[in-house]
Amino acid sequence: MAPVDQEAGGGLLRFATAGSVDDGKSTLIGRLLYDSGTVPEDQIAALDRTAARNGESEIDLSLLTDGLTAEREQGITIDVAYRYFATPRRKFIIADTPGHEQYTRNMVTGASTADAAVILVSAQVGMTAQTRRHITLAHLLGVPNLLVAVNKMDLVDFSANTFAGVAASVAEFAATVGAEQPILVPVSAKFGDNVVDASARTPWYEGPPVLAALEGLPQASRRCADASFRFPVQLVRRVAGADGSQTRRYLGRIESGRIAVGDTIAVLPASTDTRIRAIWTFDGPLDTAAAPQSVALEVSDELDIARGDVLAHATARLRVSDRFNATLCWLADRAHEDAGRILIKTGTRTVAARLARVDHRLHGSALGAEPSPTALARNDIAQVTIQTASPIAFDAYCDNRATGAFILIDEATSATVAAGMIEDAVTCPTLAGT
Amino acid sequence: MNSAEHLLDGRSAAVQSAARDSATSWRHLDDLESEAIHILREVAAECANPVLLFSGGKDSTVLLRLAEKAFRPGTFPFPLLHVDTGHNFPEVIAFRDRTAGRLGERLIVRSVQDPIDRGRAKLKNGNQSRNALQTVTLLDAIAEFTFDACIGGARRDEEKTRAKERIFSVRDTFGQWDPRRQRPELWSLYNARLDTGENMRVFPISNWTELDVWQYIARENLELPSLYYAHPRRVAVRGDILVPINGMTQLDANEQVEERFVRFRTVGDMTTTVPVESQGTDAQAVVAETLAARLSERGATRLDDQTSDSSMEERKKAGYF
């Protein structure tokens, strides 16, 4: 066995799966869990009993991801479920998003933290409207890697031509919406071809099986270490020094980039500058730290830094504005109709806001623009303008997921009603650049 | 050969290679640790009066180390609470008290016996499992101290129902979990706001597996109750299950008692927690055994979860942690 490659791959990989029941998504996940040795014996025994009871000769792998009693009774999947498996090379977290009418909400949720999206397409059916929607959503959520598993190759006699046809249409569509070019793998989830092991029945396919492809993908959080330094302050705590003096430490997680003692930083949105005096962890002080570490920082000056502020290098600041454009995904059952008060949480800051304008709704499988909608309903995706009660610091979502993402919270019910991705400030005061 | 045996054969090579190599690559622990610290700090910042549920078990012991990583050199911004079933192993209780003392953190203990004595909780018989009864005591403690958030060591890999659990999970006025009312949870933007009477449960190690927990215990050199490591113990062999002999064990007429080398994978209620055979006398050895284990944690060690496929879902809906 090859030694673990610490640079490419390694660490956690989170991926979201998308596809309808008919595409064999549950079977593919079941196969990954199964062939990686994750499924315990007692669960297999339970499946075996189920198969015997239903008069089936084969275990139904899709049952491994079958969830709640309420769902089993109604034959539906309510929500995103998280699954775990590990190979010698890395640990995986699957966000398994079901494909029914709540689909957009679930896929957006699963994709928000994903390093990769695994999209199922049936080789028999080819690309569908739903496939186009999956690819578009994955791209919209900034998922850095796309893998399209062309499933049910057993039903098309492992035909190279059929696969090439599906692959070409998927690649063409991905290019159209500006998405990353997907990794395309011909698979039979039911029989295991090109899932964990390379298949002898696709000699014309030279790429890796699904698992090997996932093992080799870069981790988004590690990639973030090369981006600009972003540190949303979670908490401020006072620490007593040896001489009895009090020092303030700023607790948080480095969402992107790296920091070193002595670096000049800006506190945003206030836009005051200071220097990093110390970087602390429970295991001792550090000279440098990088995403995704959780640390405590000390700065050189006595400043009024609080939860909600973001620390950045003085030379690579966030934008600051109280009005910005965003892509919004409405998640709540209740439609949004009025321009009432709502709370926005971005990073560690929560402020009052309102939807100043709904510019247009993105419609259909390719999410084309539909102008001037009157209301936003569940699963709607729209271009909006948001006005906040006070300026916030942010990045464009395409530059930084952590500082460009937000949720909207209904102040009356405390429910999370929408998720959004910031595009740009509207009036662009660029306080941050001055 | 039935299909289960067929598939088991196919995957044994993967299990063995994982056992060989995974001990050398623990970088994922750094990622999981940082995520958990971030979650603990979010609870401290957003909740008015949180509490950390500490049972003396391995998962909540990991939580305490994560809290140290999040808040030291300061004190924890929450007390510790143990809901004592009265059926706990004495080693676990001693470990609980020793650990709280070593950390210098406040430990609150509330007993399942109290509502039984007051008639708020009823037992069918004296030796019945008290897992479900913890709910009453937990809700009483939440009311007594007006806790708005309970931090727990539950993991999504433990059981099917848990796979859909949020990291910040809302419970209604009656402490009940409604899968349809859970909030979508995106990025790491947790919504900790509550309506009146609602309560938050927070699970910082949601994304950890049993293996991750053991690897972390080994890496951080954490002390655990001795029950977690291999020791000789008198047990009754009941099918695949080793029933430990204690004051509450009810033996069938023809059951034989023998001594085996065992360890516990969970250390909950003495009447329902059973050990597995083991030679693992330290955390590294348990990591190796966990990699090779082919029974899920609950399947191997809990008598009550085998009652029905949906027993956990029912208890969660009723407010069980």
Side-chain angles (χ1 to χ4, degrees):
Chain A
M1 170 145 324
V4 175
D5 184 343
Q6 293 291 345
E7 293 311 313
L12 271 183
L13 190 96
R14 299 170 195 256
F15 66 93
T17 55
S20 70
V21 177
D22 296 339
D23 297 329
K25 176 173 66 75
S26 299
T27 309
L28 179 76
I29 294 171
R31 174 62 65 186
L32 283 170
L33 298 178
Y34 224 77
D35 287 2
S36 61
T38 307
V39 185
E41 209 168 71
D42 53 331
Q43 284 186 25
I44 295 173
L47 291 183
D48 220 29
R49 286 195 298 274
T50 305
R53 199 162 55 232
N54 297 342
E56 312 274 346
S57 58
E58 294 264 343
I59 287 179
D60 183 353
L61 288 174
S62 69
L63 292 179
L64 282 173
T65 57
D66 187 26
L68 309 175
T69 307
E71 295 172 311
R72 285 200 296 275
E73 284 166 356
Q74 296 167 43
I76 54 155
T77 315
I78 290 172
D79 215 315
V80 183
Y82 295 87
R83 322 279 173 199
Y84 304 85
F85 72 100
T87 70
R89 285 193 67 187
R90 79 190 323 175
K91 173 185 163 100
F92 294 93
I93 300 178
I94 309 176
D96 180 11
T97 65
H100 58 99
E101 89 278 1
Q102 288 257 356
Y103 173 73
T104 300
R105 161 182 158 150
N106 292 328
M107 170 132 188
V108 166
T109 302
S112 71
T113 53
D115 302 301
V118 173
I119 294 171
L120 272 283
V121 178
S122 163
Q124 262 189 320
V125 179
M127 193 164 65
T128 63
Q130 207 182 42
T131 314
R132 283 189 278 272
R133 198 169 173 86
H134 297 161
I135 292 171
T136 308
L137 282 174
H139 174 57
L140 196 64
L141 269 291
V143 180
N145 302 286
L146 205 56
L147 188 151
V148 176
V150 182
N151 192 22
K152 306 199 176 181
M153 289 300 295
D154 52 299
L155 298 182
V156 296
D157 297 325
F158 294 92
S159 155
N161 282 342
T162 305
F163 173 74
V166 176
S169 60
V170 169
E172 188 191 336
F173 180 76
T176 309
V177 296
E180 301 250 342
Q181 272 307 302
I183 300 166
L184 287 139
V185 187
V187 308
S188 167
K190 189 174 180 187
F191 298 105
D193 297 81
N194 291 328
V195 178
V196 171
D197 299 314
S199 172
R201 297 193 280 189
T202 54
W204 41 267
Y205 173 72
E206 291 172 351
V210 171
L211 185 62
L214 292 172
E215 283 181 326
L217 287 178
Q219 199 184 4
S221 62
R222 301 286 169 187
R223 213 169 68 153
C224 280
D226 301 327
S228 298
F229 169 68
R230 299 290 184 252
F231 184 85
V233 175
Q234 291 186 273
L235 279 171
V236 183
R237 297 206 108 195
R238 286 174 191 283
V239 177
D243 57 354
S245 65
Q246 293 273 314
T247 306
R248 272 179 288 192
R249 284 191 188 164
Y250 305 103
L251 277 52
R253 182 171 64 181
I254 302 173
E255 296 293 347
S256 61
R258 51 184 70 247
I259 190 73
V261 172
D263 285 2
T264 302
I265 56 149
V267 182
L268 298 160
S271 205
T272 44
D273 288 7
T274 183
R275 295 170 89 84
I276 297 290
R277 190 170 68 191
I279 305 169
W280 287 99
T281 69
F282 175 73
D283 301 297
L286 301 172
D287 295 329
T288 64
Q293 280 180 284
S294 285
V295 294
L297 300 178
E298 284 177 26
V299 299
S300 299
D301 303 286
E302 287 274 324
L303 294 175
D304 183 22
I305 302 175
R307 173 172 171 84
D309 290 339
V310 186
L311 309 187
H313 275 126
T315 51
R317 295 161 184 255
L318 293 84
R319 281 172 259 192
V320 174
S321 177
D322 62 359
R323 198 175 172 91
F324 52 84
N325 293 322
T327 304
L328 196 69
C329 180
W330 196 257
L331 307 170
D333 292 340
R334 210 153 55 93
H336 177 81
E337 284 162 351
D338 57 60
R341 195 176 132 99
I342 207 156
L343 297 174
I344 181 169
K345 182 175 184 184
T346 174
T348 53
R349 180 175 291 262
T350 304
V351 297
R354 65 186 173 82
L355 276 187
R357 228 173 59 189
V358 179
D359 297 315
H360 54 261
R361 186 159 54 184
L362 302 175
H363 193 66
S365 57
L367 300 174
E370 173 203 356
S372 306
T374 52
L376 290 179
R378 191 182 67 200
N379 293 319
D380 272 354
I381 290 173
Q383 292 298 121
V384 300
T385 304
I386 288 179
Q387 175 78 48
T388 54
S390 54
I392 61 168
F394 60 84
D395 290 299
Y397 183 82
C398 61
D399 294 332
N400 198 313
R401 281 163 108 183
T403 43
F406 63 87
I407 56 171
L408 297 183
I409 300 167
D410 185 322
E411 206 174 12
T413 64
S414 296
T416 303
V417 293
M421 293 146 283
I422 300 175
E423 276 159 30
D424 204 355
V426 171
T427 47
C428 247
T430 55
L431 282 171
T434 57
Chain B
M1 181 184 282
N2 68 26
S3 46
E5 285 165 2
H6 168 70
L7 283 150
L8 280 171
D9 282 352
R11 68 201 189 110
S12 58
V15 172
Q16 284 159 15
S17 64
R20 255 199 329 272
D21 292 337
S22 143
T24 60
S25 173
W26 290 3
R27 194 168 78 173
H28 64 283
L29 292 181
D30 295 333
D31 299 332
L32 292 171
E33 179 189 76
S34 183
E35 177 183 68
I37 293 170
H38 177 260
I39 292 162
L40 285 168
R41 289 170 171 174
E42 284 300 286
V43 186
E46 297 230 334
C47 298
N49 190 18
V51 65
L52 187 148
L53 301 186
F54 177 53
S55 64
K58 68 181 190 311
D59 299 306
S60 57
T61 300
V62 165
L63 279 188
L64 291 184
R65 169 49 56 94
L66 293 165
E68 288 183 274
K69 296 228 176 186
F71 303 113
R72 290 291 186 248
T75 54
F76 295 173
F78 36 70
L80 316 178
L81 169 68
H82 183 220
V83 176
D84 187 347
T85 59
H87 281 178
N88 288 96
F89 292 95
E91 297 95 320
V92 177
I93 297 298
F95 171 78
R96 175 198 75 188
D97 294 342
R98 190 165 68 244
T99 303
R102 177 177 59 78
L103 292 171
E105 300 289 344
R106 179 180 170 214
L107 172 69
I108 300 164
V109 177
R110 285 296 175 270
S111 171
V112 165
Q113 195 63 44
D114 295 341
I116 295 171
D117 293 345
R118 290 200 309 274
R120 286 203 57 205
K122 288 212 167 58
L123 288 170
K124 287 186 204 124
N125 66 65
N127 292 340
Q128 176 199 336
S129 162
R130 296 182 170 189
N131 276 341
L133 298 177
Q134 291 179 64
T135 306
V136 177
T137 307
L138 176 62
L139 295 180
D140 284 353
I142 287 169
E144 179 186 352
F145 295 94
T146 62
F147 293 128
D148 58 347
C150 300
I151 304 162
R155 310 187 317 266
R156 287 176 178 146
D157 81 318
E158 283 179 72
E159 202 268 342
K160 271 183 179 180
T161 312
R162 296 263 194 223
K164 305 200 170 187
E165 185 63 276
R166 299 299 191 270
I167 291 172
F168 281 68
S169 177
V170 183
R171 304 301 161 97
D172 68 14
T173 318
F174 305 99
Q176 295 179 109
W177 178 75
D178 178 354
R180 291 172 189 276
R181 278 192 66 239
Q182 295 302 310
R183 298 166 181 171
E185 207 159 70
L186 296 102
W187 298 288
S188 40
L189 293 172
Y190 305 111
N191 174 2
R193 287 176 62 91
L194 293 170
D195 247 4
T196 315
E198 283 181 343
N199 195 266
M200 194 66 78
R201 306 290 160 88
V202 184
F203 305 111
I205 59 169
S206 284
N207 285 326
W208 299 45
T209 60
E210 185 188 15
L211 178 62
D212 298 326
V213 167
W214 275 111
Q215 288 178 333
Y216 194 72
I217 288 163
R219 191 182 84 171
E220 298 289 318
N221 200 17
L222 300 182
E223 187 199 347
L224 288 182
S226 55
L227 295 167
Y228 276 112
Y229 299 111
H231 57 279
R233 181 174 289 267
R234 294 174 66 233
V235 295
V237 182
R238 197 174 287 171
D240 292 337
I241 290 175
L242 305 176
V243 180
I245 305 302
N246 56 49
M248 283 169 286
T249 311
Q250 292 171 331
L251 287 178
D252 295 341
N254 53 358
E255 268 183 325
Q256 299 293 316
V257 173
E258 49 192 286
E259 188 174 276
R260 297 273 185 102
F261 262 85
V262 298
R263 65 178 165 86
F264 287 87
R265 289 170 74 185
T266 65
V267 293
D269 190 311
M270 274 199 291
T271 61
T272 53
T273 309
V274 299
V276 294
E277 292 215 84
S278 172
Q279 301 299 321
T281 51
D282 61 25
Q284 290 281 4
V286 175
V287 166
E289 288 189 357
T290 304
L291 274 164
R294 297 195 302 182
L295 282 182
S296 68
E297 193 173 333
R298 284 184 176 272
T301 61
R302 295 286 183 92
L303 293 168
D304 52 350
D305 284 331
Q306 297 185 334
T307 310
S308 95
D309 202 20
S310 51
S311 54
M312 172 67 92
E313 188 176 347
E314 296 309 317
R315 275 188 288 151
K316 269 181 79 174
K317 282 180 177 166
Y320 180 73
F321 196 73

